[in-house]
Amino acid sequence: MAGNADGAEDVDAPDESDAPVFDTLVQMTLNAFERSGLDPETYLLTRIAALVALGASPASYLLNVGAAGDIGVPLEKVRGTLVAIAPVVGTARVVAAAGGIGEAFGLRLLPGGGEEEGAVK
């Protein structure tokens, strides 16, 4: 890359096919599902549980809860997953996750909209 007089480098804008980070994430996800040996429902519920443990953003829930809904996983099983992992990951993570899922899908998973004490933002 050549430098300009102002110190900026000439950079070609990536086209739509030049997305190595996204392509890598997609490939990792496909490989993980195939290698997991899990059925699609269990796989997605496990991913949702991991997102809760990590304190993921609403966009992450949108992708994973959305995919679960697309294959017919009922919202009750997502709620059940939150209940099952609550003793392990803690109240604050579950409340934050319920808020993130609710924000992503326009749902209320907790009474009062998830503003209970202990919620993390």
Side-chain angles (χ1 to χ4, degrees), residues 2-119:
N4 291 339
D6 65 358
E9 294 181 357
D10 292 329
V11 179
D12 294 330
D15 62 25
E16 291 180 23
S17 65
D18 187 25
V21 174
F22 180 74
D23 291 344
T24 299
L25 294 173
V26 168
Q27 194 60 45
M28 286 171 44
T29 299
L30 291 174
N31 289 341
F33 171 66
E34 291 169 359
R35 296 181 70 174
S36 74
L38 299 172
D39 62 272
E41 180 178 296
T42 303
Y43 179 77
L44 287 167
L45 291 173
T46 302
R47 287 177 59 93
I48 292 165
L51 292 171
V52 174
L54 293 170
S57 69
S60 296
Y61 294 113
L62 187 61
L63 293 172
N64 289 277
V65 176
D70 289 347
I71 66 164
V73 177
L75 187 57
E76 291 76 28
K77 288 205 173 187
V78 174
R79 282 189 188 118
T81 299
L82 296 178
V83 170
I85 65 172
V88 177
V89 300
T91 304
R93 288 279 190 211
V94 171
V95 170
I101 293 168
E103 182 179 327
F105 290 95
L107 302 171
R108 278 188 52 194
L109 297 177
L110 296 171
E115 298 300 321
E116 291 79 8
E117 184 178 328

